[in-house]
Amino acid sequence: MKSKVAGIVFIIGSLYYMVAEAITAFTFNETLFNTYIFHTISELGIPNINSPLSFLMNSAFIIIGLSLLFGNLYKFKDFIIKNKMAFYILTLISSIGVIIVALIHAGNPLTDGYHSLGAVMAILGGNVLLVIISRSMEEFEIYQKVTLILGVIGLIAFWIMFFNMESIYMPVFERLSVYTLIIWSFITGIYLLKDS
């Protein structure tokens, strides 16, 4: 039963995130293509005339953060055989980080540092978490290999983004590094449902 509940939470959280971002991007003051290529996810969450549905994007950050926190601590922890402390710490770091991103918006010079810290906690912490998870379970089969690949892709995209912050394509690498965690959440939901 716990696997089923956690699986549903993971799936709902990941789907809500993708749908909420798509709707927010659709209403953003730019073409949909340009929004995804040239504007960061954080920009979608800034409450201003450019993003009339910013509250929807921010709700998605909170829901994916809470989904990760609940799913991991309620059930997924039972699958972790090694590196338990790292698993718990990184779960907290990435979950709290993405919630900070929702509550403290980008673009304000007074609080931008806190927003950036939340983003690093969520993205870097989340992708390191995936790598740790892949090597901490009893088996190393398809699910674990996919988790490892997602974590590595996310880390590579994060570092490319980090060293190319002024690039007009930086938002593409930001999304690549974020979507790995969203995809993992969806896959993990299915994995847990199969286990229930």
Side-chain angles (χ1 to χ4, degrees), residues 27-184:
T27 62
F28 195 76
N29 188 25
E30 180 64 279
T31 66
L32 190 61
F33 177 82
N34 285 353
T35 298
Y36 273 96
I37 301 299
F38 303 121
H39 295 276
T40 64
I41 303 171
S42 293
E43 285 180 74
L44 300 182
I46 301 174
N48 59 28
I49 195 168
N50 287 328
S51 188
L53 295 183
S54 58
F55 67 90
L56 188 61
M57 189 70 252
N58 289 316
S59 73
F61 291 138
I62 292 171
I63 286 174
I64 197 68
L66 293 176
S67 297
L68 177 65
L69 190 64
F70 175 82
N72 275 2
L73 300 185
Y74 180 69
K75 176 58 186 175
F76 194 74
K77 62 180 173 53
D78 297 342
F79 294 92
I80 303 301
I81 307 301
K82 299 178 290 182
N83 308 310
K84 285 181 180 284
M85 188 57 67
F87 170 79
Y88 288 123
I89 290 171
L90 288 166
T91 293
L92 287 172
I93 287 173
S94 52
S95 300
I96 292 169
V98 75
I99 292 171
I100 289 173
V101 167
L103 301 178
I104 304 175
H105 308 122
N108 183 338
L110 296 175
T111 59
D112 218 26
Y114 297 108
H115 178 86
S116 297
L117 174 62
V120 170
M121 289 169 65
I123 299 172
L124 182 59
N127 284 294
V128 171
L129 174 63
L130 298 192
V131 173
I132 294 294
I133 285 172
S134 72
R135 305 305 295 160
S136 300
M137 298 176 72
E138 190 172 7
E139 300 169 337
F140 189 64
E141 296 181 345
I142 293 175
Y143 170 79
Q144 291 80 7
K145 289 173 183 174
V146 170
T147 298
L148 177 61
I149 290 167
L150 286 171
V152 170
I153 289 171
L155 289 172
I156 292 170
F158 173 82
W159 286 114
I160 293 172
M161 175 194 76
F162 189 80
F163 290 108
N164 293 277
M165 295 298 282
E166 302 305 315
S167 168
I168 61 170
Y169 298 110
M170 185 275 276
V172 174
F173 295 107
E174 179 207 32
R175 281 185 168 81
L176 283 175
S177 62
V178 168
Y179 289 170
T180 52
L181 195 59
I182 308 302
I183 293 167
W184 176 82

